[in-house]
């Protein structure tokens, strides 16, 4: 067997250790693949970022629409009622927050024309005027029977004058009746559902209060409500 010279072995070893050179087309291919992958990752990131922003904006818009609808419903509720009486106009502010159910019932009665032509049935000087079809005199008789006692009570215990209320009883049979106080009354909330107060036309209330009445506090002359107008502003 022929012996290989040391120099030949050294040259063969160098040839094996020398790395194979990468061709230019291969480098170009890797570069293209890298650029494509980076572009794809960037496009994916941008897509999901924009989608997240759009969803957030839509959610905010939905909340704003719901808030606008809620605010619209609140503003749709009338805040005032104007009683056009045979003596003049009486404007009352409605306590929607304090007596929501009673105010809703009152508004519904107004829209149905319940108060048109309604007469003031009872007039008690320095106490209250009542309009309605109810013949129930319990509230009136109870107040008038304790007139002296009321006059002795401290002012701070009494409700203010010119408060608007209706009886605590159900209104199915006799309909919605109206009470307007003309003096502070201590146990007003025990007798009536207070749902407003007179803000304009106190002189008209006092004028109705001064009419002549019989022994049952019924006005001798006809005094009534011509109609009621609901308003947002006055």
């Amino acid at each position: 067997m022929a012996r290989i010279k040391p120099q030949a072995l050294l040259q063969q070893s160098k040839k094996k250790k020398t790395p194979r050179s990468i061709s230019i087309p291969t480098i170009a291919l890797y570069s293209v693949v890298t650029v494509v992958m980076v572009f794809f990752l960037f496009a994916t990131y941008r897509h999901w970022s924009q989608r997240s922003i759009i969803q957030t904006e839509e959610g905010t818009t939905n909340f704003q629409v719901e808030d606008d609808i809620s605010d619209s419903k609140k503003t749709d509720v009338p805040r005032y009622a104007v009683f056009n009486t045979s003596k003049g106009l009486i404007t009352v502010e409605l306590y929607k927050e304090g007596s929501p159910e009673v105010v809703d019932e009152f508004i519904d009665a107004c829209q149905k024309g319940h108060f048109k032509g309604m007469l003031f049935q009872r007039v008690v000087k320095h106490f209250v005027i009542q309009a309605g079809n109810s013949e129930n005199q319990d509230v009136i008789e109870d107040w008038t029977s304790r007139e002296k006692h009321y006059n002795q009570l401290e002012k701070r215990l009494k409700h203010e004058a010119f408060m608007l209320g209706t009886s605590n009883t159900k209104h199915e049979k006799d309909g919605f009746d109206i009470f307007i106080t003309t003096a502070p009354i201590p146990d007003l909330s025990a007798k009536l559902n207070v749902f407003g107060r007179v803000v304009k036309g106190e002189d008209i209330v006092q004028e109705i209060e001064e009419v002549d009445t019989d022994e049952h506090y019924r006005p001798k002359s006809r005094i009534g409500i011509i109609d009621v107008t609901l308003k947002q502003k006055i």
Side-chain angles (χ1 to χ4, degrees):
M1 181 176 178
R3 297 181 62 182
I4 301 175
K5 294 180 180 181
Q7 292 181 352
L9 288 173
L10 181 61
Q11 290 178 354
Q12 288 180 359
S13 175
K14 288 181 178 180
K15 289 181 180 178
K16 290 181 180 180
K17 291 181 180 180
T18 301
R20 299 175 64 183
S21 60
I22 301 174
S23 63
I24 293 176
T26 302
I27 295 174
L29 178 62
Y30 286 154
S31 299
V32 171
V33 171
T34 303
V35 170
V36 170
M37 290 181 64
V38 170
F39 177 79
F40 176 76
L41 292 173
F42 175 76
T44 303
Y45 168 78
R46 186 174 181 182
H47 169 74
W48 286 107
S49 298
Q50 290 180 345
R51 184 172 180 179
S52 176
I53 293 172
I54 291 173
Q55 289 178 345
T56 303
E57 290 177 350
E58 287 179 350
T60 304
T61 302
N62 289 336
F63 283 128
Q64 289 176 346
V65 170
E66 290 177 359
D67 290 341
D68 291 342
I69 293 174
S70 178
D71 292 340
S72 176
K73 288 182 179 179
K74 289 180 180 179
T75 55
D76 286 344
V77 178
R79 295 184 56 195
Y80 300 93
V82 181
F83 290 86
N84 182 14
T85 74
S86 52
K87 292 289 187 180
L89 300 179
I90 302 172
T91 303
V92 299
E93 179 185 4
L94 303 176
Y95 291 163
K96 175 62 178 176
E97 290 77 14
S99 305
E101 294 181 0
V102 181
V103 170
D104 288 341
E105 187 178 358
F106 170 76
I107 291 173
D108 183 63
C110 289
Q111 293 172 340
K112 292 179 178 178
H114 173 71
F115 300 103
K116 288 185 178 180
M118 179 178 287
L119 297 177
F120 285 94
Q121 300 282 3
R122 303 286 186 279
V123 174
V124 183
K125 288 181 175 61
H126 310 302
F127 279 90
V128 69
I129 60 176
Q130 176 197 7
N133 301 319
S134 175
E135 293 298 326
N136 185 2
Q137 302 182 37
D138 292 344
V139 175
I140 300 294
E141 290 179 354
D142 186 57
W143 279 342
T144 55
S145 66
R146 292 186 286 173
E147 178 177 358
K148 293 182 180 179
H149 175 62
Y150 285 168
N151 290 336
Q152 294 172 358
L153 291 175
E154 294 183 24
K155 196 80 170 179
R156 62 183 176 85
L157 297 177
K158 302 179 182 181
H159 280 273
E160 297 178 1
F162 304 109
M163 304 301 291
L164 175 71
T166 187
S167 58
N168 286 328
T169 58
K170 291 184 178 180
H171 302 138
E172 295 176 358
K173 182 179 178 181
D174 299 319
F176 203 102
D177 52 358
I178 293 293
F179 291 83
I180 301 177
T181 63
T182 60
I185 298 177
D187 61 347
L188 182 61
S189 297
K191 297 296 180 182
L192 301 177
N193 287 321
V194 179
F195 65 96
R197 66 184 179 91
V198 177
V199 294
K200 190 176 181 180
E202 293 91 339
D203 56 328
I204 303 300
V205 175
Q206 291 173 332
E207 189 174 344
I208 296 174
E209 179 190 27
E210 293 299 325
V211 300
D212 292 333
T213 60
D214 61 18
E215 64 274 15
H216 299 293
Y217 306 102
R218 290 192 291 255
K220 292 182 179 180
S221 58
R222 290 172 62 89
I223 306 172
I225 299 171
I226 299 172
D227 57 38
V228 180
T229 304
L230 300 172
K231 292 187 175 185
Q232 297 286 347
K233 302 177 181 179
I234 55 173

